[in-house]
Amino acid sequence: MDKVPTQPETTLLNAALEAALGLGLDAQLEHAQLKRGAAHADAVVRIGRGGKGQKYVAEIRRLLRPANLGATLHQLDRQAEAHALPGLVVADYINPDMAETLRKQGREFLDTAGNAYIQQPHVLVWATGRKPVLRAVTPQVGRAFQPTGLQVLFALLCHPEWVNLPYRELAARAGVAHGTVGWVMPDLQRQGFVADLDGKRGTRRLFDGERLLALWADAYARQLRPRTLLGRYYVPALEGWQEWPLDKSGAQWGGEPAGALLTNYLTPGELTMYADKLPGQLAARYRFAKEADVGHKAVVEVRHRFWHFPEDAVAGPCVPPVLVYADLLATGDARCMETAKRLYESHVARLVRQV
């Protein structure tokens, strides 16, 4: 399923290229969309000056926020690697804080207001603080990417074979009403992510798993993840977190601690756990406090476990790797994004590349 830019994306890209011209740059569209293997490039553009320039793979993003920055950059990196071109973030508006974050990471970007960071051997542009010129438009990617639909997608991304389960059973595992699956599946079929092979019942399968994951991770960060937070608490220290008896409280690690356990790469800066409710015994044992004080500075966030997988599908100290991956990207932190990339290759890619 080729990704053809929607009208709002086309309008955004054209406005951003026009803004680049206003900065004294040469800017033109090379390809409106491009696919190589599983990597879908939103566009390929050329930017430069005085007859010298550089081609870029562009990731077009509306409503770029810290929550979906990690997902955006990981998607861009995959495209850039596949097409052997540097990446360029193209957005409707990039505020000064986001601009500084991108610049520090060496990420080139351009928005419709003329905010930009372009670094080439013969060109250096660093412009920020310009006000947005386009009205922000919330991305519309179908009903399947609304909060309850995202829960169904989460179940399918973790277990692609569940796409052939009866709707009622899939709904129970995803933690949604039976009717939700009834409108998610047709929407996924309309978008080309689900189809019945040869039209035969029981042969349904997922398609374009890597792109589905990218869309899910972005929408999850913006729409579902904020709803899962049960509370943020403070503890005296994070040392020894690996020995916390989460299993006795029906909890599992997510985010940074799960990333650390699954990749052996990250030292957590804060702890994230998923549970049906605040694990009271853990809270008492490790002195959870609602306010930071002199003795309580380390952060523990407790999030609601929104899925209800069978017991054999939730074994172990960590939530499913798909969720760990998305949580790490949602932090927007460079070290967490690097961990997410490692986790993707070691635990997640095999799930989405088989569909």
Side-chain angles (χ1 to χ4, degrees), residues 139-173:
Q140 299 296 322
V141 287
R143 297 181 68 187
F145 293 89
Q146 302 304 312
T148 53
L150 292 171
Q151 293 181 222
V152 177
L153 291 184
F154 173 65
L156 294 177
L157 286 166
C158 292
H159 296 275
E161 71 278 9
W162 287 358
V163 72
N164 280 298
L165 286 176
Y167 283 7
R168 190 173 301 278
E169 187 173 349
L170 178 57
R173 297 184 183 194

Side-chain angles (χ1 to χ4, degrees), residues 238-257:
L238 299 184
E239 286 78 7
W241 62 269
Q242 300 94 329
E243 307 303 322
W244 288 20
L246 266 64
D247 56 332
K248 295 181 180 179
S249 297
Q252 291 177 291
W253 292 121
E256 295 183 38

Side-chain angles (χ1 to χ4, degrees), residues 126-340:
W126 169 232
T128 185
R130 302 186 178 200
K131 301 299 182 183
V133 294
L134 289 182
R135 181 176 62 87
V137 178
T138 301
Q140 299 296 322
V141 287
R143 297 181 68 187
F145 293 89
Q146 302 304 312
T148 53
L150 292 171
Q151 293 181 222
V152 177
L153 291 184
F154 173 65
L156 294 177
L157 286 166
C158 292
H159 296 275
E161 71 278 9
W162 287 358
V163 72
N164 280 298
L165 286 176
Y167 283 7
R168 190 173 301 278
E169 187 173 349
L170 178 57
R173 297 184 183 194
V176 301
H178 174 220
T180 300
V181 180
W183 52 255
V184 167
M185 284 299 185
D187 189 43
L188 291 177
Q189 289 175 322
R190 179 183 63 80
Q191 297 190 57
F193 291 117
V194 170
D196 291 307
L197 300 181
D198 300 323
K200 295 181 180 179
R201 189 173 183 178
T203 62
R204 180 180 297 144
R205 57 163 290 188
L206 291 177
F207 290 88
D208 206 1
E210 290 186 280
R211 175 150 181 77
L212 182 61
L213 173 64
L215 289 172
W216 179 83
D218 178 85
Y220 163 78
R222 293 183 290 104
Q223 298 193 66
L224 180 55
R225 189 172 190 266
R227 301 184 179 204
T228 67
L229 185 64
L230 294 176
R232 285 177 64 85
Y233 302 92
Y234 298 88
V235 294
L238 299 184
E239 286 78 7
W241 62 269
Q242 300 94 329
E243 307 303 322
W244 288 20
L246 266 64
D247 56 332
K248 295 181 180 179
S249 297
Q252 291 177 291
W253 292 121
E256 295 183 38
L261 291 173
L262 293 173
T263 68
N264 294 315
Y265 176 75
L266 181 69
T267 298
E270 65 177 50
L271 303 181
T272 297
M273 67 176 67
Y274 281 81
D276 295 327
K277 61 181 180 180
L278 175 66
Q281 292 184 342
L282 284 174
R285 180 172 178 177
Y286 296 101
R287 299 166 53 196
F288 284 22
K290 292 186 177 180
E291 302 290 340
D293 58 29
V294 175
H296 289 70
K297 292 185 177 181
V299 175
V300 176
E301 61 175 24
V302 182
R303 294 188 174 272
H304 175 62
R305 184 163 45 207
F306 53 85
W307 63 98
H308 303 290
F309 294 176
E311 186 173 345
D312 62 347
V314 295
C318 302
V319 300
V322 167
L323 182 57
V324 181
Y325 166 77
D327 272 343
L328 289 169
L329 291 179
T331 66
D333 180 84
R335 64 196 177 88
C336 289
M337 286 190 280
E338 177 58 33
T339 306

Side-chain angles (χ1 to χ4, degrees), residues 101-115:
T101 296
L102 291 169
R103 187 187 67 81
K104 286 182 177 179
Q105 294 185 25
R107 302 285 189 165
E108 295 177 87
F109 67 83
L110 176 66
D111 74 8
T112 62
N115 298 302

